[in-house]
Amino acid sequence: MEKTLPAPLAQRPAPRRRVRLLQLALIVQAAVLLYPLSLYLQWSPTRSQNVPINARTIVAQCKSLQLTPGPPDDFYSRGQSDRFEAGTKPTLIRNATIWTGGDDGAQVVHGDILLDKGIIQKVGSVDVQTLSAETVVVDAAGAWVSPGIVDLHSHLGVDSAPALSGASDTNSIKGLVLPWLRSLDGLNTHDDAYKLSISGGVTTANVLPGSADAIGGQAFTIKLRPTSQRSSTAMLLEPPYTLNGTVVDPFQRPRWRQMKHACGENPSRVYSGTRMDTAWAFRNAYETARLVKEEQDTYCEKALAGQWTGLGKFPESLQWESMVDTLRGRVKVHNHCYEAVDLSNQVRLTNEFKFSIAAFHHAHEAYLVPDLLKQAYGKTPAIAIFATSGRYKREAFRGSEYAARILADNDIEVVMKSDHPVLNSRHLLFEAQQAHHFGLAANLALASVTSTPARIMGMDHRIGRLIEGYDADVVIWDSHPLALGAAPKQVFVDGIAQISEPHVSMKPKSAQDVPSAPNWDKETAETIKYEGLPPLEPGVNVVKDAVLFTNVGSVFLKNSETGAIAEVYSASATGENVVLVQDGSIVCTGTCVEVLAAAPAELVQIDLEGGSIHPALVSFGSPMGLTHITAESSTSDGSALDPLSGSIPKIISDTVIKAADGLLFASRDAYLAYRNGITSAIVAPSARGFLGGLSTVFGTAAPHKLADGAALQDVAALHVTVSLNSRVGVSTQIAALRGLLFGEGKGQVNERFLEVVKGELPLVVEAESADIIASLLVLKQEVEALSKRSLRLVIAGGTEAHLLATELAAAGVGVLTAQRPFPGSWQERRILPGPPLTAESAIAKLVKSNVTVGLRPLGEPSTVRNTRFDLAWAGLESNGVLDKAKTLALGSSNIEALLGVKGSGVNTDLVATRGPSELESKVVAVISQRTKSVDLL
Ligand SMILES: *[C@@H]1O[C@H](CO)[C@@H](O)[C@H](O)[C@H]1NC(C)=O
Ligand SMILES: *[C@@H]1O[C@H](CO)[C@@H](O)[C@H](O)[C@H]1NC(C)=O
Ligand SMILES: *[C@@H]1O[C@H](CO)[C@@H](O)[C@H](O)[C@H]1NC(C)=O
């Protein structure tokens, strides 16, 4: 590909010769004779005595200040990647369905891809006869193939897994403005997450410093694969030439640099300041850099005019050079910035100092201010967001699942990012899948994790698309990349296959198609109208009369005695496929001829378009119900005091805390949970240490505790945490638990533990490590040997529980665990990652071993709404271990059974979903036996 060169480069000799000349210039006093005529003529020969010996270098340096970053001219004819590992054999991927990223993400090529020398040599039809004998041939059998996933915002390697106190290198808190710091200097080559993220198709990550500072430092782009050199430096993708301090060829076009900025809550909180302080810190920093730049420009003006007298040394500052480069438009600024107030501040800053921002990250309110974004200096910043994670702090309160679509509708570039390990970047593609589900066009959703982030970080000449000459970063998928649960069959980085023995789970045929997204036009419009806070209160459209659901694909029901879930109806190809609901119960399924004849004439009809009716879901494991905004203590119940690691006021020392006393209703997350089919939840007191307290069951739709359907069961289970991350030793925690189980507690504490020993109250222990779980199983035996009763022990968390699947099953101990494990800390490091790294997922292994498993959300209350995705995903990666009924049980009856939910606490609601796949479609109605009505959403 031909590129036009900037004028000063066009006449230059070959670079190598230029460097030699440069050295010569330093030695030979009469260097002036060697100057190209054009430069020579700029100087007055009469003043030649004043010319410094390194004048030529200075002139070159001054000229180079005007160069904009980009690949060198000969990059496009490269025959080998600079990242090529010697010995890597060529690979031909045959018969692939190739999403190239071309044609604005619309291009799909059916054919082959040839990888060699770390580069994509050909996309299309490759003649096998022309290939060398050592070529590895991979038959994709028609599978979807995409470019490697690109993460614009990651802390891989600096916020490493498992987290250890000796390796937290994300933030420096030595000042609000630290542009001279470099994430590379903290990059740990042993982060467990590299391999895991690659197994999710991620091949490139932009590693940013954290957001504790206004200017946290320089970011670096890495490829995730192991390198033969095993160094952090070898992981870098096109680092700036200046990185190792070698003399830079001044005629070489510079490479893009990356820089982290952050505004709003984080810098304010870390430095006990305000937004005003942070804004001044930015202005002060940019002014300092501007002054250095001005000095340089004045100097260079003189140097280029040959006015050497008294000029002295070129003004430089190692501390400020990266900021000066920012002002010269040579740095991609990544700005962590959420709210309209912060975005406004930053837009003003760009215009005051004339620099541009590559992307606003997080930016939960960006979709509300598209016109403001367009006023930023230079190019309109891209917006890098999460799909549905929100409301965790004030800045995120107005975050919307429709933001990606709204931004795209306003012609603003959208990137989905992980902020790894905030979200596990292994599942960055899930963010794009959700963005698509909530309205972002499929081509843009795929681009949002490939070609768009590559462009925003200035790497789109080599990554983010499948084009001849690009880096050989390729993923072969087991289904369409936007289908829920899509997992790689193989991942290539620089042409090297990354997964030695990939395990591929069987996916339904339908998963090969672009999933159809529900219609969210109404919700999207309301989100804009209400500035991010559309009304979510349920019960606006309640039907007391009978409702006829038409076009029903399937019906699942929960046995009221046993809790078992079974499919009771499946659509026939020819029949009517209707379901009539009266007084909150299904009265007939199928054709319903006779019943319909007797039904009232004006029947409300809801077309489910092949969707399903199934038991409502139940949530346990997030603080939903005890908080509205987790980072805001004034919106939360607060932590239960811990008798082991702190002092307890005497007045409550023998008391067991009840979550029921702290319930906070009408949170946006609870209402969103309801709208996604989770109509009841169990919450335990927020424990900061050993003793939590008593969990309670509540209805997610209720406006307050005294409302009908609000407080469903006062006490469910007793909760305790045993953790390696505690300030108190594990052996001390277990000793305390043993003491309490053997009757050493006082007052209410003793009474509740007596109920536990008698098997009347489940004991739920938050425990991750297999060693802790094993100790708990031994303790259970000790207690039972004495009590002759069976202890209802449940493990919550249980990341390593799969190692004890047989023992847990034998002991009758159930596990409440999340669908996507991550080795966040030492006690969670032995995860069973599931396909493609292992054949089994942790949940599938536990279920296969006859352990009762309940699925819990990943954490924040905003993740509860995704329970239907998590369940469907657990089923998809289980290789048939979990059919749909069993999957539903993971998210409802199993949780109730484990947590001691009974009587009025049991969820008897049904939900109706519109769309062909019951767990990926839209919930359109909640059918309530309790209120004998149907709530249309
Ligand atoms: C590509 O794979 C599909 C699916 O296995 C198969 O039906 C088709 O025949 C293959 N095409 C070629 C050219 O091999
Ligand atoms: C460091 O400098 C050497 C010599 O110029 C160069 O070959 C190498 O690529 C540089 N390394 C980086 C990471 O820039
Ligand atoms: C699980 O339970 C079923 C039914 O009781 C039994 O057939 C099967 O052998 C059990 N599996 C294991 C691994 O114990």
Side-chain angles (χ1 to χ4, degrees):
M1 210 180 294
E2 282 297 317
K3 286 264 155 163
T4 339
L5 291 176
L9 291 187
Q11 319 155 351
R12 66 179 181 164
R16 206 174 297 152
R17 184 168 134 75
R18 182 58 71 174
V19 172
R20 249 187 269 122
L21 291 180
L22 209 136
Q23 290 161 344
L24 205 62
L26 297 174
I27 302 160
V28 182
Q29 295 273 340
V32 70
L33 294 175
L34 296 168
Y35 296 159
L37 195 60
S38 59
L39 294 183
Y40 182 75
L41 290 178
Q42 288 176 8
W43 302 332
S44 153
T46 57
R47 288 210 248 142
S48 61
Q49 291 109 307
N50 297 328
V51 175
I53 54 164
N54 60 340
R56 201 176 167 285
T57 314
I58 294 171
V59 167
Q61 190 172 6
C62 285
K63 294 233 160 201
S64 77
L65 296 182
Q66 282 136 39
L67 300 180
T68 49
D73 181 39
D74 57 2
F75 181 84
Y76 299 95
S77 55
R78 66 182 179 152
Q80 178 170 315
S81 169
D82 53 356
R83 298 185 46 83
F84 178 64
E85 294 270 7
T88 307
K89 289 180 182 164
T91 298
L92 176 68
I93 303 170
R94 300 198 69 187
N95 190 11
T97 308
I98 307 161
W99 184 84
T100 66
D103 197 6
D104 200 19
Q107 187 184 55
V108 174
V109 172
H110 296 272
D112 317 321
I113 306 186
L114 178 63
L115 316 176
D116 192 14
K117 304 273 184 258
I119 291 175
I120 298 172
Q121 303 289 353
K122 182 128 180 84
V123 177
S125 182
V126 175
D127 181 2
V128 187
Q129 307 302 321
T130 64
L131 302 177
S132 73
E134 55 168 9
T135 306
V136 178
V137 178
V138 179
D139 182 7
W144 280 97
V145 167
S146 81
I149 304 291
V150 178
D151 193 353
L152 191 66
H153 184 144
S154 176
H155 305 293
L156 264 173
V158 291
D159 200 344
S160 295
L164 293 167
S165 63
S168 177
D169 286 302
T170 323
N171 286 297
S172 164
I173 49 165
K174 298 207 167 189
L176 257 178
V177 171
L178 305 167
W180 43 88
L181 301 189
R182 307 181 296 191
S183 65
L184 172 64
D185 294 325
L187 192 73
N188 169 17
T189 57
H190 303 296
D191 189 334
D192 279 1
Y194 294 129
K195 184 181 173 189
L196 293 168
S197 294
I198 286 174
S199 81
V202 181
T203 54
T204 305
N206 198 28
V207 180
L208 300 167
S211 52
D213 313 322
I215 302 181
Q218 298 156 45
F220 287 81
T221 308
I222 59 165
K223 292 230 192 152
L224 274 54
R225 72 168 169 87
T227 64
S228 54
Q229 198 187 82
R230 299 198 180 107
S231 70
S232 48
T233 315
M235 299 177 79
L236 294 173
L237 179 63
E238 289 200 355
Y241 293 117
T242 47
L243 189 64
N244 58 11
T246 42
V247 176
V248 179
D249 175 357
F251 289 93
Q252 184 120 324
R253 199 186 282 189
R255 286 167 164 177
W256 281 110
R257 309 175 71 178
Q258 320 281 327
M259 169 80 77
K260 177 71 180 280
H261 285 11
C263 51
E265 288 189 24
N266 289 13
S268 299
R269 196 176 316 143
V270 171
Y271 293 93
S272 312
T274 65
R275 286 184 156 77
M276 295 190 290
D277 295 297
T278 307
W280 168 246
F282 273 118
R283 294 181 65 220
N284 195 25
Y286 271 99
E287 178 62 6
T288 307
R290 193 187 66 79
L291 291 175
V292 176
K293 175 177 179 281
E294 205 172 66
E295 259 187 84
Q296 290 179 349
D297 290 347
T298 307
Y299 180 98
C300 283
E301 231 169 82
K302 288 187 180 159
L304 292 177
Q307 298 166 9
W308 295 105
T309 311
L311 204 50
K313 276 171 66 183
F314 180 76
E316 273 182 307
S317 161
L318 187 58
Q319 276 196 312
W320 294 100
E321 58 82 28
S322 63
M323 290 289 287
V324 174
D325 251 8
T326 304
L327 290 173
R328 294 195 186 283
R330 313 207 296 187
V331 179
K332 300 288 191 182
V333 175
H334 299 279
N335 196 322
H336 157 125
C337 210
Y338 282 74
E339 288 189 78
V341 53
D342 300 309
L343 298 167
S344 299
N345 294 350
Q346 294 296 315
V347 167
R348 282 200 307 276
L349 186 73
T350 64
N351 287 303
E352 184 178 356
F353 291 96
K354 312 243 174 302
F355 70 99
S356 67
I357 288 173
F360 282 120
H361 294 237
H362 298 294
H364 276 70
E365 293 191 10
Y367 75 98
L368 293 171
V369 292
D371 296 335
L372 168 74
L373 302 175
K374 289 173 187 172
Q375 283 170 11
Y377 182 81
K379 194 172 175 297
T380 299
I383 302 298
I385 52 176
F386 299 135
T388 51
S389 175
R391 293 170 294 285
Y392 42 87
K393 51 180 171 172
R394 185 191 98 169
E395 293 182 325
F397 196 60
R398 287 165 200 263
S400 170
E401 58 273 48
Y402 312 110
R405 167 193 172 171
I406 296 168
L407 288 163
D409 287 349
N410 282 283
D411 295 323
I412 290 168
E413 291 173 298
V414 178
V415 172
M416 305 311 292
K417 59 101 175 48
S418 74
D419 195 8
H420 179 99
V422 173
L423 300 186
N424 175 358
S425 69
R426 177 180 174 192
H427 304 302
L428 177 55
L429 189 60
F430 178 46
E431 298 303 294
Q433 292 163 0
Q434 292 174 84
H436 174 248
H437 176 79
F438 289 112
L440 184 65
N443 61 325
L444 297 182
L446 280 173
S448 77
V449 290
T450 52
S451 54
T452 309
R455 185 167 62 247
I456 301 307
M457 63 170 94
M459 296 288 183
D460 56 333
H461 52 287
R462 61 187 296 174
I463 59 166
R465 290 195 281 168
L466 296 180
I467 291 183
E468 284 156 28
Y470 270 50
D471 285 16
D473 300 343
V474 184
V475 187
I476 307 175
W477 298 97
D478 65 0
S479 41
H480 188 281
L482 291 178
L484 184 68
K489 291 171 136 176
Q490 186 53 276
V491 180
F492 296 88
V493 184
D494 300 319
I496 307 165
Q498 296 296 310
I499 308 174
S500 50
E501 282 173 57
H503 298 273
V504 180
S505 46
M506 293 305 299
K507 293 289 166 72
K509 221 167 177 296
S510 58
Q512 298 305 324
D513 304 327
V514 188
S516 59
N519 185 328
W520 305 99
D521 290 348
K522 180 170 154 276
E523 290 85 349
T524 306
E526 293 230 312
T527 298
I528 297 171
K529 180 178 168 195
Y530 290 95
E531 298 200 20
L533 302 177
L536 297 172
E537 285 76 8
V540 174
N541 198 1
V542 174
V543 181
K544 287 275 179 194
D545 304 320
V547 174
L548 184 70
F549 291 95
T550 63
N551 217 344
V552 180
S554 58
V555 176
F556 293 83
L557 291 178
K558 181 157 82 175
N559 183 306
S560 59
E561 301 285 303
T562 64
I565 292 176
E567 183 167 17
V568 297
Y569 172 76
S570 168
S572 66
T574 50
E576 287 286 320
N577 301 327
V578 302
V579 170
L580 185 68
V581 169
Q582 212 153 14
D583 293 334
S585 294
I586 291 177
V587 290
C588 121
T589 50
T591 49
C592 298
V593 181
E594 282 165 34
V595 184
L596 280 177
E602 282 170 30
L603 205 54
V604 176
Q605 295 202 14
I606 308 288
D607 185 351
L608 293 190
E609 297 171 14
S612 136
I613 295 177
H614 62 72
L617 304 174
V618 180
S619 188
F620 166 77
S622 89
M624 188 181 76
L626 291 177
T627 181
H628 284 223
I629 304 173
T630 42
E632 289 291 341
S633 58
S634 68
T635 76
S636 307
D637 173 54
S639 297
L641 296 169
D642 177 31
L644 273 191
S645 54
S647 63
I648 301 268
K650 217 171 160 64
I651 191 171
I652 58 154
S653 62
D654 304 331
T655 309
V656 180
I657 305 302
K658 287 169 67 181
D661 293 331
L663 281 177
L664 295 168
F665 284 87
S667 69
R668 297 191 70 78
D669 287 315
Y671 284 164
L672 281 169
Y674 178 82
R675 286 172 177 272
N676 284 284
I678 304 112
T679 68
S680 70
I682 299 136
V683 66
S686 302
R688 203 171 278 164
F690 170 70
L691 187 58
L694 299 163
S695 51
T696 192
V697 190
F698 68 99
T700 53
H704 57 76
K705 194 195 276 184
L706 302 180
D708 184 29
L712 297 173
Q713 184 176 324
D714 190 40
V715 169
L718 181 63
H719 296 256
V720 163
T721 301
V722 179
S723 170
L724 275 165
N725 297 340
S726 169
R727 272 187 286 163
V728 177
V730 166
S731 45
T732 306
Q733 297 169 60
I734 300 231
L737 185 56
R738 180 182 290 114
L740 293 170
L741 288 166
F742 282 91
E744 287 167 17
K746 292 203 181 72
Q748 280 181 18
V749 176
N750 196 40
E751 285 165 29
R752 289 301 184 178
F753 274 93
L754 197 61
E755 285 179 54
V756 166
V757 172
K758 287 186 191 156
E760 289 161 7
L761 186 66
L763 176 68
V764 180
V765 184
E766 288 278 343
E768 302 289 357
S769 139
D771 295 309
I772 293 175
I773 295 169
S775 292
L776 293 169
L777 293 183
V778 172
L779 179 59
K780 179 176 186 281
Q781 280 180 353
E782 284 176 43
V783 174
E784 289 174 346
L786 213 70
S787 70
K788 310 283 181 229
R789 304 286 276 272
S790 155
L791 191 74
R792 291 170 65 188
L793 177 66
V794 178
I795 302 299
T799 302
E800 294 189 351
H802 64 93
L803 292 169
L804 296 168
T806 313
E807 291 80 1
L808 286 162
V813 174
V815 176
L816 296 156
T817 196
Q819 183 259 331
R820 278 158 278 158
F822 182 72
S825 68
W826 195 257
Q827 60 183 356
E828 306 160 286
R829 76 188 192 290
R830 292 178 286 178
I831 66 168
L832 189 61
L837 294 178
T838 58
E840 281 180 317
S841 69
I843 289 181
K845 180 169 180 194
L846 289 165
V847 170
K848 241 166 92 176
S849 311
N850 290 341
V851 176
T852 304
V853 177
L855 182 131
R856 62 187 274 169
L858 287 187
E860 286 283 334
S862 72
T863 64
V864 175
R865 63 173 298 160
N866 279 342
T867 303
R868 287 161 63 242
F869 293 139
D870 295 349
L871 289 170
W873 196 337
L876 285 164
E877 66 176 11
S878 76
N879 263 322
V881 171
L882 293 162
D883 61 15
K884 298 222 164 107
K886 280 196 180 128
T887 310
L888 285 167
L890 290 181
S892 58
S893 50
N894 287 6
I895 296 177
E896 294 182 328
L898 292 174
L899 284 162
V901 180
K902 49 189 186 276
S904 63
V906 173
N907 193 328
T908 54
D909 298 337
L910 295 172
V911 297
T913 64
R914 176 176 293 145
S917 161
E918 58 264 51
L919 291 166
E920 292 170 56
S921 46
K922 183 178 183 177
V923 174
V924 292
V926 174
I927 303 161
S928 168
Q929 260 183 39
R930 192 176 41 76
T931 61
K932 301 194 187 314
S933 62
V934 177
D935 187 1
L936 300 180
L937 302 173

